[in-house]
Amino acid sequence: MIAFIQGNLVEIEPTHALVECHGIGYEVKISLQCYNRIRDKKNLKLHTFFQVREDAQILYGFDDKQEKWLFEKLIGVSGVGGNTALMILSGLSSEELLQAISAEDTLTLKRIKGIGAKTAARIVLVFKDKLKDAIESQASTAGSPVNADCMKKQEALTALTNLGLPRAAMEKRIGQILKEHGGQIRVEDIIKLALKNPQ
């Protein structure tokens, strides 16, 4: 497994980058979002996913771990291959994708070329299940009774970090949400608000 590539950016197009590392040029498929972030760099590091198929060996690259995490989850959805996953990540930023999934907004997903109603529904289901499992897992492993706000904060934090969002930023954001909305807010609503404005 090739975890990452670090080297000189020799050539870049909206769909791929050519990275030279120790005299070897690696062609790496990228999303349009990634292209916009790295196109002016001379030296860079890309987190990678290496896919081996019967007819091809493809290296996908991501300039941040959250995008890679989303890609890996997307290709785990029935009907979503590597190219379709990159198409989704090109059309939506990581935050926009997570927000659409959290809100069960299949219309936004269907605007992506190649995504129909059934595939959009499957994407929402897979990610929502992961979110739900993270919350339930946190709740089931809780020990003695604690402050309700603290429990909500921990459940939301676990779910958000499992989605690939940075822990420190999410702790701060959840604290702000609880302060603004009070202790009556549901965990699901904390997560939705954090995804809308992750900071």
Side-chain angles (χ1 to χ4, degrees):
M1 180 68 172
I2 303 172
F4 69 87
I5 290 178
Q6 186 167 352
N8 297 317
L9 183 60
V10 177
E11 178 184 307
I12 188 165
E13 298 291 338
T15 57
H16 70 273
L18 184 61
V19 181
E20 185 270 328
C21 180
H22 300 295
I24 300 173
Y26 294 89
E27 184 174 286
V28 187
K29 284 196 169 189
I30 58 173
S31 70
L32 185 58
Q33 303 281 347
C34 181
Y35 165 79
N36 288 330
R37 292 190 296 262
I38 69 170
R39 61 183 176 181
D40 295 324
K41 294 185 178 181
K42 293 181 180 179
N43 186 277
L44 77 165
K45 176 181 178 180
L46 292 176
H47 304 283
T48 55
F49 180 88
F50 186 48
Q51 186 179 63
V52 179
R53 303 191 322 222
E54 288 183 7
D55 60 340
Q57 295 184 24
I58 306 169
L59 194 60
Y60 297 93
F62 314 91
D63 64 320
D64 70 70
K65 289 184 177 180
Q66 181 176 316
E67 189 180 52
K68 180 183 176 181
W69 183 89
L70 287 168
F71 175 86
E72 290 175 339
K73 298 306 170 200
L74 284 168
I75 62 174
V77 176
S78 177
V80 179
N83 289 336
T84 303
L86 275 193
M87 189 76 72
I88 294 169
L89 292 169
S90 292
L92 298 169
S93 69
S94 298
E95 290 75 19
E96 288 168 340
L97 175 57
L98 289 170
Q99 184 177 335
I101 290 165
S102 177
E104 299 185 29
D105 181 6
T106 56
L107 288 176
T108 293
L109 294 171
K110 286 195 295 182
R111 292 192 190 106
I112 305 296
K113 184 179 177 182
I115 301 296
K118 289 183 179 179
T119 303
R122 282 196 296 266
I123 291 170
V124 168
L125 181 63
V126 167
F127 278 84
K128 289 288 282 186
D129 280 350
K130 184 170 182 64
L131 194 65
K132 182 181 176 183
D133 289 346
I135 293 170
E136 289 179 350
S137 173
Q138 180 67 24
S140 67
T141 55
S144 56
V146 293
N147 179 275
D149 283 359
C150 183
M151 178 66 77
K152 287 179 182 180
K153 182 176 181 179
Q154 288 304 314
E155 289 179 7
L157 183 61
T158 298
L160 290 163
T161 53
N162 277 326
L163 286 172
L165 293 162
R167 185 179 184 86
M170 287 302 97
E171 283 182 336
K172 182 179 178 183
R173 181 67 185 128
I174 291 167
Q176 290 173 341
I177 292 167
L178 285 169
K179 187 176 180 181
E180 291 168 7
H181 298 273
Q184 299 303 313
I185 188 170
R186 298 179 305 167
V187 173
E188 295 84 356
D189 294 326
I190 294 173
I191 293 166
K192 286 179 182 179
L193 287 168
L195 289 172
K196 285 181 182 178
N197 185 15
Q199 297 187 344

